Amino acid sequence: MTEIAPGASADQHRAHGTPAAQSRAVVLEIEGMTCASCVARVEKRLARVPGVTAAVNLATESAKVDVPQGVADDELVAAVQAAGYDARVRAVAPPAADHEAHEHAADETAAHESEHAEHGAHDHDVEDEPGRTTLRTRLIVAAALSAPLLLVSMAMPLQFPGWQWLALALTAPVVLWAGWPFHRATLRNARHGAATMDTLITLGTMAALLWSAWVTVTGGMHVYFEVAAVVTTFLLLGRFIEQRSKRRAGAALRSLMELGARDVTLADAEGRDGATVPIERLRTGERFVVRPGGTIATDGVVEHGEAAVDASMLTGESVPVAVGPGASVTGGTIATDGRLVVRATAVGGDTRLARIAALVEDAQAGKSQIQRLADRISGVFVPVVIGLAVLTFAGWLLAGQPVEAAFVAAVAVLIIACPCALGLATPVAILVGTGRGAQRGILITGPEAIETAGRIDTIVLDKTGTVTSGRMSVHDAVLTGGNDRAEALRVAGALESGSEHPIARAVVAFATEAQGDVLPHATGFRSHAGRGVTGVVEGREAFAGSPAFALERGARVPAEIEAAARDAESTVVVVGWASAPGMSPTARAALLVGDTVRDDSPAAIAALRELGLDVVLLTGDAEGVARAVGREVGIDRVIAGVSPEGKVDEIRRLQAQGRRVAMVGDGVNDSAALAAADLGIAMGGGTDAAMNASDITLVRDSLGAAADSVRLSRRVLGIIRGNLFWAFGYNVAAIPLAALGLLTPMIAGAAMAFSSVFVVLNSLRLRAFR
């Protein structure tokens, strides 16, 4: 599983080599942010703390802060408060090794996280929270008072002498009480010299209320109470829908975090059910029971029992996988049938599920280049809008229009221009997209990976473990005349049993299956790295290795074996021995060892081509082997016999041609190429080195997931572009219309509220990604 060092993304560590010990990551939960200008202000304040860098996310209402040693959490909270917002440090569960010392703290953390998940941490929460008036309540009261107000204001027959005083009585609670969250944020920001979206709302609605109250007191006729009340109601409705939708947007991550079991049944020495304890008390090395239909409590190795395990929430694969003794299982998955006794290998934050959740959350907290541009624009947008409203008011007066008309146009400009949609356009799409990716077994390290994946035009695939299964097997044996097959396999198996190489294990498995009995023991075993092995088997000096190794041993190689080695489209293991001590050895057999192509590889490569990508097979295997695999899966461009360093050179050569290159691999020898590529994609069954060097990790050990990751990234980028087009286009088109008096403040309020709702609902379409 990919490990993200504290305080930096995987990309940052790859690019700069920053040691994790130099900094730490802190997540702040921030209260009171309402638009992108709020985000820009908080980031600027945090950046003033020496050595601190921060990415503030409006959608998650949080900040991921990279903090150097020596900077206390209180300094970060103080910086956010100086910007006019409230903040608290998100509690982090202690390491498993310190469990006893922190049990009480862990309980408090769990209680806090449960409360936060249920109620949220912000004044605008949809759900009820003790001692706090909720957004829902304010919306209901505003709507109940605005309905009769709108009726009496618009229907002339219902108006009676002094009706304006009734309108004032109905409007004041809507604007002053129901709209208080907007005004409170405005006042808070004003104390720090800042102007945000709330500033525009307060200026617009309060101006309408105060103007109308003045006209009522002085006996005038043109009042705009319905503007102030209905606009406030529309804005509350938009905020209410937005908050509910944002909760849905984060549902994927919450569902991942809730997968784990809360209690676990320990196993006694005989494997029977023992005591049931909270999951926090489980230790690495302890054994626990999983009953049929139960959730596997944590990562571990099966010691007893067999079951079909459903890992669909982690991998996206709907077909359960059969497991038995010796198989590794992941916490949060479900044993659909059968009873298991499992030995825990990781607990708490070290589990695969916890790492996946942390990786997804880290990706959602990051920022794309598009979002940074939107934040910069929003940072100066509000002051510009206030200036435009003033110019609109002055322009109407200079044109000889009545004060009332100038006032209405200026209020419409203030209300229509709120940049809320601009701030939500990118982060909500990333929030939904990365969460959906995690549900489908695609872990994306951050927004930069999404942007890069959407732009690649060439994808380079490693062969072993990527296009092929990585499991070697012997599929044929060529014998020279007069040699006994059983004897050759017995010698080969005895020699290779001393090696851990995948080819050696394949030879041992084949020999054992063919012999049906225990292999003899090889004495004097010696491994010759990358070439072969030697030893004495049943009194004979023997060898097994490559054709070149056979020649190196001075062996006589019969024509049959030479032909097999020359024409083979797989790895050849030559087995030989001397007839008598002191004589030169003779090659007796050639075992053809191959790696099987994954069942889904041809379809996955076809899917990559449908995405318009050029596909290249890059491997260290021999030319014949590589081309045979290429033909089987439909890859024409094959580069074989390449060292790990050579893979990097090939990646850079493609980049020098102007190609935007993605690399898919799984082994240690792929990690340098994964880091060198524009986009690194690590297979789920691969090594930690490959995963740490990648931008995307495929939990599902399938090449088809690589095509899915590119398709998902393009879909997310498409949603972001649509959101930004709407957000920018809406403001560009609407502000001139409002300034010209073609939009009433009520229509402007409804349109502004709908713009934010549209962006969130458009992003939620990503939840349907398959």
Side-chain angles (χ1 to χ4, degrees), residues 8-368:
S9 68
D11 285 339
Q12 289 170 327
H13 285 317
R14 287 164 54 197
H16 305 294
T18 307
Q22 292 182 358
S23 63
R24 59 192 176 93
V26 173
V27 177
L28 298 176
E29 295 173 347
I30 301 175
E31 298 182 17
M33 294 192 302
T34 55
C35 65
S37 56
C38 301
V39 170
R41 181 166 180 79
V42 173
E43 284 186 344
K44 286 179 182 178
R45 282 287 182 175
L46 286 171
R48 293 182 185 178
V49 180
V52 166
T53 58
V56 180
N57 192 300
L58 179 62
T60 58
E61 296 175 285
S62 65
K64 182 172 179 289
V65 189
D66 190 22
V67 186
Q69 297 300 326
V71 175
D73 292 348
D74 290 345
E75 295 181 61
L76 304 177
V77 173
V80 175
Q81 291 173 339
Y85 307 91
D86 293 328
R88 60 183 174 187
V89 178
R90 181 178 298 171
V92 178
D98 300 330
H99 183 81
E100 288 90 344
H102 294 282
E103 279 186 353
H104 180 66
D107 291 340
E108 289 185 346
T109 297
H112 161 70
E113 288 178 348
S114 175
E115 177 187 353
H116 182 74
E118 181 178 355
H119 299 302
H122 308 285
D123 291 341
H124 301 316
D125 287 339
V126 175
E127 298 299 329
D128 287 341
E129 197 165 338
R132 183 174 291 177
T133 303
T134 64
L135 187 63
R136 180 192 285 112
T137 303
R138 295 183 190 275
L139 173 60
I140 292 172
V141 171
L145 295 177
S146 296
L149 171 64
L150 185 62
L151 194 62
V152 75
S153 298
M154 294 300 182
M156 295 288 291
L158 296 178
Q159 293 177 0
F160 52 87
W163 70 270
Q164 294 92 337
W165 291 100
L166 174 63
L168 175 59
L170 293 172
T171 303
V174 175
V175 175
L176 300 178
W177 180 82
W180 173 242
F182 303 122
H183 310 321
R184 178 179 53 203
T186 297
L187 294 173
R188 179 190 295 157
N189 287 302
R191 286 198 300 269
H192 297 87
T196 67
M197 180 196 80
D198 298 289
T199 307
L200 302 181
I201 294 172
T202 296
L203 288 175
T205 56
M206 290 299 293
L209 173 63
L210 295 176
W211 169 276
S212 301
W214 170 255
V215 171
T216 299
V217 171
T218 58
M221 294 297 296
H222 298 290
V223 294
Y224 299 99
F225 288 120
E226 77 281 4
V227 169
V230 174
V231 164
T232 299
T233 303
F234 277 144
L235 296 177
L236 287 169
L237 176 62
R239 186 68 59 83
F240 177 78
I241 296 173
E242 175 192 316
Q243 289 289 337
R244 290 193 63 181
S245 299
K246 281 162 67 177
R247 287 281 297 170
R248 289 175 61 198
L253 178 57
R254 286 195 301 277
S255 65
L256 276 177
M257 298 175 108
E258 293 167 1
L259 279 179
R262 296 184 181 275
D263 298 306
V264 58
T265 300
L266 301 179
D268 63 16
E270 303 299 323
R272 296 184 298 247
D273 291 10
T276 298
V277 300
I279 186 64
E280 293 82 9
R281 297 186 183 278
L282 183 66
R283 304 289 189 279
T284 302
E286 288 186 324
R287 300 191 309 161
F288 61 92
V289 175
V290 184
R291 300 185 182 94
T295 299
I296 296 174
T298 193
D299 297 357
V301 175
V302 177
E303 290 196 347
H304 301 291
E306 295 181 347
V309 173
D310 179 4
S312 58
M313 277 299 293
L314 291 179
T315 66
E317 288 283 6
S318 59
V319 180
V321 177
V323 300
S328 296
V329 290
T330 302
T333 56
I334 298 172
T336 58
D337 59 5
R339 180 181 182 276
L340 302 175
V341 175
V342 180
R343 176 172 48 82
T345 57
V347 296
D350 295 329
T351 63
R352 192 182 192 200
L353 177 61
R355 288 175 171 178
I356 289 174
L359 184 64
V360 175
E361 189 170 25
D362 189 66
Q364 293 177 348
K367 286 202 173 191
S368 65

Side-chain angles (χ1 to χ4, degrees), residues 461-470 595-602 605 617 629 633 635 683 703:
L461 308 177
D462 172 52
K463 182 184 75 69
T464 305
T466 302
V467 175
T468 63
S469 65
D595 187 6
T596 56
V597 169
R598 292 179 184 270
D599 293 339
D600 69 337
S601 286
I605 288 160
L617 185 65
V629 170
V633 298
I635 300 178
M683 298 292 289
L703 185 58

Side-chain angles (χ1 to χ4, degrees), residues 557-568:
V557 181
E560 303 100 302
I561 292 181
E562 283 187 346
R566 183 177 61 251
D567 301 333

